[in-house]
Amino acid sequence: MSESVEVQIEDQEFTLESDNELRFEVENKNETVVLELKTGLAEIFGTELVKGKSYTFYFGAKIAVFTWQGCTLKLRGKKGISYISKETPMMFYLNCHASLEQLRVKSEKENIRGPVTMVVGPTDVGKSTLCRILLNYSARMNALGRRPIYVDLDPGQGQISIPGTVGAVMVERPAEIGECFSQAAPLVYHFGHTNMSINTTLYNTLISRMAEVIHQRMDENPRINCSGIIINTCGWVKGKGYQHLTHIALAFEVDVILVLDQERLYNELVRDMPGFVKVVLLPKSGGVVERSNKFRSESREASIREYFYGSPRNVLHPHTCEVRFSDIKVYRIGAPPIPNTLMPLDMQKTDLETKLEPVTPGLNMMHHMLALSFSTSVEEDVVRTSVAGFVCVTNVDISRQMLTLLSPQPKPLPETIYLLSDVQFMDSNS
């Protein structure tokens, strides 16, 4: 059991001993909590706090402030509960970082690919948090020029882009407190669903393509190559979900698998992975809590809203564009299922799941997200091509045959292929 002290967050100071963690949440909408490091050293998910600087956290934030040497913290805010924990898994996570760093040093000396690490586990065990910690620790080794690649393969959360996508980004510096990693030149692929079970063939196709592109880029850049990859996965770990994990491990040529909080999954991977793959079982943080479906839905909406409007620290101003039905080429990946008796002899069921189907603009597109492919023609491999960005359909005018789109950039929009997503966004500002 974790020793903890519960207090109300209201202009209070906390003195943490070494290897202690202060955990708190912002539970109420339209309320904030401000954190300040008064003395000592502390970090949040691997990013160091600056002494005397105020950090503001908003609704939904679940924060753990850890100190290796002891510190004094001040919290200012309205209602909420915080506690100091003396039992955290941070020492295990630091040991993982140290082991990965040894592999990076070896890869530099031998001019081989750095460690490819996959983080797995059921939902709500802290996989994304562990990825963030390991990436931040690696990026803090800037004197050694570390440039790890972060791969997010959970289409339900959209950490690198919006929900309904899978993506990757090179991490050059630690993430800012309360912010995502720098989104400069991310590699993003359109999946179109938040649940990977809806189209497993398409999901595996995108995984294989992403691994191919990332390995090619690593081969071209020695600094990135020796830094390796950190892969975040979704919480579906049974049945077909487990098959996806093994496919990811094969496609990315994984060296290390970190299993959070599930001994059964750990033993299955030890049994099925090649002998050279190191499988490690790690405890989850005591601060991890189960997220409700409502919270997940609100998080997805907040992610899309941030894509268009930015965050309180970095406000963006999107544009509204009108386009004619005839001026836009919209497709959906995945054709409706056909009974086996009617399916052509030379066609497999998997072919349908990656087939490009034209979509006639209409009311069926209202509030849906559209991905702008880098492909400009259906003659290209649209399915396996990354996307440049996204727009949202905020209005459909049938009489005028016009779509109103919310876009990060003004007209003219690129003359490219638009891919319809199942993900929807209700823009309250429109």
Side-chain angles (χ1 to χ4, degrees):
M1 291 291 292
S2 171
E3 296 183 30
S4 62
V5 181
E6 293 194 354
V7 294
Q8 293 293 321
I9 302 178
E10 191 170 309
D11 296 337
Q12 286 226 339
E13 285 195 0
F14 302 85
T15 300
L16 277 66
E17 299 177 357
S18 60
D19 300 341
N20 280 194
E21 197 168 62
L22 171 65
R23 299 169 183 160
F24 65 90
E25 299 180 23
V26 185
E27 300 176 338
N28 300 294
K29 290 186 176 180
N30 303 318
E31 293 185 356
T32 60
V33 171
V34 179
L35 170 71
E36 181 183 345
L37 174 65
K38 304 293 288 185
T39 63
L41 299 172
E43 60 185 46
I44 295 179
F45 307 138
T47 300
E48 292 181 291
L49 294 174
V50 177
K51 193 178 301 182
K53 180 178 179 179
S54 295
Y55 298 92
T56 304
F57 299 95
Y58 301 86
F59 170 68
K62 302 178 187 298
I63 303 300
V65 188
F66 183 81
T67 177
W68 295 103
Q69 301 175 352
C71 69
T72 302
L73 299 164
K74 182 177 181 181
L75 282 179
R76 299 193 305 275
K78 295 186 179 180
K79 296 179 181 179
I81 297 296
S82 69
Y83 63 94
I84 298 173
S85 175
K86 295 184 179 181
E87 293 184 5
T88 84
M90 286 298 294
M91 185 57 71
F92 294 100
Y93 299 167
L94 179 65
N95 288 338
C96 285
H97 162 69
S99 298
L100 293 176
E101 187 56 33
Q102 288 180 352
L103 294 175
R104 295 183 184 112
V105 171
K106 179 182 178 182
S107 69
E108 269 186 321
K109 292 180 179 178
E110 300 180 5
N111 195 27
I112 58 176
R113 185 175 297 157
V116 180
T117 307
M118 183 168 74
V119 179
V120 303
T123 56
D124 299 326
V125 293
K127 296 186 296 295
S128 300
T129 298
L130 176 56
C131 287
R132 187 182 182 97
I133 291 170
L134 294 176
L135 288 161
N136 279 330
Y137 280 169
S138 177
R140 282 163 62 174
M141 312 286 288
N142 52 12
L144 300 176
R146 297 292 180 247
R147 300 288 188 275
I149 292 179
Y150 176 39
V151 176
D152 182 22
L153 301 181
D154 184 354
Q157 61 179 8
Q159 279 200 334
I160 291 176
S161 186
I162 67 168
T165 65
V166 291
V169 66
M170 182 181 67
V171 177
E172 295 187 80
R173 61 185 63 86
E176 295 291 332
I177 300 294
E179 297 283 346
C180 297
F181 290 103
S182 172
Q183 298 297 296
L187 177 67
V188 178
Y189 289 90
H190 167 82
F191 179 60
H193 317 279
T194 57
N195 188 337
M196 55 195 281
S197 66
I198 293 177
N199 193 334
T200 57
T201 301
L202 174 59
Y203 183 82
N204 281 339
T205 299
L206 297 179
I207 297 309
S208 297
R209 176 56 179 167
M210 181 181 289
E212 179 185 331
V213 172
I214 290 175
H215 285 162
Q216 182 179 355
R217 293 188 180 182
M218 293 177 74
D219 291 340
E220 295 170 353
N221 189 319
R223 184 170 289 184
I224 298 175
N225 192 50
C226 71
S227 299
I229 306 173
I230 304 289
I231 304 171
N232 188 25
T233 60
C234 78
W236 188 21
V237 297
K238 296 181 180 179
K240 284 190 175 181
Y242 180 77
Q243 294 174 18
H244 284 304
L245 293 181
T246 58
H247 175 75
I248 293 167
L250 179 64
F252 280 91
E253 301 174 14
V254 165
D255 306 301
V256 180
I257 301 179
L258 304 179
V259 184
L260 278 173
D261 195 47
Q262 192 171 95
E263 195 169 356
R264 175 179 174 176
L265 178 60
Y266 164 78
N267 283 295
E268 287 176 335
L269 289 167
V270 169
R271 178 195 66 200
D272 296 336
M273 289 294 105
F276 63 83
V277 176
K278 180 69 173 177
V279 184
V280 181
L281 180 63
L282 294 173
K284 69 176 181 179
S285 170
V288 173
V289 296
E290 185 174 346
R291 296 169 293 180
S292 65
N293 289 333
K294 179 182 178 182
F295 181 84
R296 293 176 187 276
S297 178
E298 290 176 344
S299 296
R300 292 187 187 115
E301 182 179 344
S303 176
I304 300 174
R305 184 173 300 280
E306 184 172 335
Y307 176 80
F308 288 112
Y309 291 98
S311 65
R313 299 177 181 86
N314 181 30
V315 178
L316 302 177
H317 301 281
H319 303 265
T320 299
C321 310
E322 279 195 327
V323 296
R324 290 185 175 86
F325 287 3
S326 57
D327 292 340
I328 187 171
K329 297 176 289 185
V330 183
Y331 293 83
R332 180 193 295 275
I333 301 177
I338 299 176
N340 292 334
T341 55
L342 300 178
M343 190 174 295
L345 293 176
D346 60 343
M347 179 177 287
Q348 302 292 325
K349 180 183 177 182
T350 54
D351 296 331
L352 292 175
E353 294 179 332
T354 56
K355 186 180 179 182
L356 211 58
E357 285 285 300
V359 177
T360 302
L363 293 174
N364 59 314
M365 291 170 55
M366 189 68 177
H367 302 306
H368 280 264
M369 299 295 296
L370 300 175
L372 280 69
S373 174
F374 276 113
S375 297
T376 57
S377 168
V378 292
E379 303 301 322
E380 303 174 41
D381 189 357
V382 178
V383 174
R384 288 164 29 99
T385 301
S386 59
V387 297
F390 304 88
V391 295
C392 180
V393 180
T394 57
N395 190 46
V396 179
D397 191 329
I398 299 296
S399 61
R400 296 173 55 225
Q401 296 282 288
M402 299 286 282
L403 292 176
T404 303
L405 304 177
L406 183 67
S407 169
Q409 73 172 47
K411 290 182 71 175
L413 296 179
E415 295 182 3
T416 183
I417 299 292
Y418 288 69
L419 298 172
L420 181 64
S421 174
D422 282 348
V423 177
Q424 294 180 274
F425 174 61
M426 302 287 288
D427 183 21
S428 58
N429 295 334
S430 62

